[in-house]
Amino acid sequence: NTLRKGRSRVIERNHVVILGWSEQVFTVISELAEANRSNKDAVIVILCDRDPVEMEDSINSRIPDKKNSRVICRQGNTSLMSDFEIVSLDLARAIIVLSQDDDDSETIKTLLAILNNPHRKKAPYHIVAEIRDPGNLQVAKLIDKDNEVELLMVGDFIARIIAQTCRQPGLSLIYTELLDFEKNEIYFIPAGQTAGSSFGEAISTFENSSVIGFIGQDNVPHLNPPMDTPIGP
């Protein structure tokens, strides 16, 4: 009965959890499936208040080819701490919080429940959350005391892209190439053999990929730095 109602616990780890449901869920799943193409058994788990069978039918009709990814749907309250156990939230490698019905209140309640859960894991979460109203951005930042959440001002972000692509034809193709997971992708790897060399020397080290920058001891990305910039360990 619990399994039929979509309330059984998901026994997974290193999976991606999506909390909430909106039209964006199909794009998110498609991109994650493409990103996980090289992963033999990638898992995406969705938790929201919808019927699991309806969710699965919608996903299967919109995304028939999920590559190597499995999508598991569970029914529950995204701001209820006890329901986080259903999707094994503490074992997930990433958490995505979708804005539901353009209402930021649910997103904020979800973030509060995750970050203030007395039984949460000690290690930091990796959370990406949508915010629609600029007026709610500061409230969300106050909740995120330990910088565990990447907040995306979706409306403002899209408006800026639209304005820029109107001024510069072809820019949308560049954004698509950078942001989607088809063809070329951006990876982060340890410095390894490039440690101690300059950025210019590192560029010629890789035959099948292009070095575009590095993250230094300051944890700040440096894109296309001067060729004589040293790379540390």
Side-chain angles (χ1 to χ4, degrees), residues 44 54 63 107 205:
I44 303 167
E54 292 180 4
I63 316 169
T107 299
T205 303

Side-chain angles (χ1 to χ4, degrees), residues 52-110:
V53 176
E54 292 180 4
M55 286 192 283
E56 290 173 2
D57 289 344
S58 297
I59 293 168
N60 289 334
S61 63
R62 296 280 292 270
I63 316 169
D65 182 13
K66 302 175 190 63
K67 311 299 189 292
N68 294 327
S69 295
R70 289 186 292 121
V71 179
I72 301 173
C73 298
R74 290 291 182 265
Q75 186 175 38
N77 189 328
T78 58
S79 58
L80 198 62
M81 295 178 185
S82 58
D83 282 3
F84 293 153
E85 296 181 7
I86 298 175
V87 294
S88 297
L89 201 69
D90 281 359
L91 299 178
R93 63 181 174 88
I95 302 165
I96 299 172
V97 183
L98 295 179
S99 177
Q100 303 181 58
D101 301 320
D102 294 336
D103 184 5
D104 290 337
S105 63
E106 286 300 319
T107 299
I108 291 172
K109 285 193 290 185
T110 298

Side-chain angles (χ1 to χ4, degrees), residues 92-230:
R93 63 181 174 88
I95 302 165
I96 299 172
V97 183
L98 295 179
S99 177
Q100 303 181 58
D101 301 320
D102 294 336
D103 184 5
D104 290 337
S105 63
E106 286 300 319
T107 299
I108 291 172
K109 285 193 290 185
T110 298
L111 293 177
L112 277 169
I114 296 172
L115 299 176
N116 294 333
N117 187 346
H119 305 296
R120 59 158 290 174
K121 66 177 182 179
K122 294 181 180 179
Y125 288 110
H126 179 199
I127 306 172
V128 179
E130 280 186 319
I131 294 292
R132 297 280 176 176
D133 186 347
N136 295 322
L137 187 60
Q138 193 58 39
V139 176
K141 286 182 178 179
L142 289 173
I143 298 171
D144 181 30
K145 298 176 183 177
D146 297 320
N147 298 318
E148 298 176 82
V149 185
E150 197 74 40
L151 296 167
L152 296 181
M153 270 296 306
V154 180
D156 182 63
F157 181 66
I158 297 301
R160 287 168 184 258
I161 289 180
I162 291 173
Q164 291 186 29
T165 50
C166 285
R167 296 180 62 190
Q168 184 62 56
L171 189 59
S172 61
L173 297 176
I174 296 174
Y175 282 135
T176 301
E177 179 64 26
L178 285 172
L179 297 175
D180 73 2
F181 285 100
E182 290 188 27
K183 300 179 181 178
N184 296 318
E185 303 173 22
I186 298 175
Y187 291 93
F188 299 86
I189 63 170
Q193 61 185 2
T194 64
S197 62
S198 67
F199 181 72
E201 292 169 336
I203 287 178
S204 60
T205 303
F206 300 89
E207 295 183 2
N208 301 317
S209 57
S210 301
V211 180
I212 62 173
F214 68 91
I215 297 179
Q217 297 291 336
D218 54 3
N219 206 33
V220 175
H222 300 270
L223 296 179
N224 195 27
M227 293 294 109
D228 59 353
T229 305

Side-chain angles (χ1 to χ4, degrees), residues 30-51:
S30 295
E31 289 297 319
L32 288 175
E34 186 65 39
N36 292 327
R37 185 189 286 268
S38 58
N39 189 337
K40 293 183 178 180
D41 187 27
V43 178
I44 303 167
V45 180
I46 304 172
L47 176 71
C48 72
D49 59 1
R50 291 179 171 241
D51 179 82

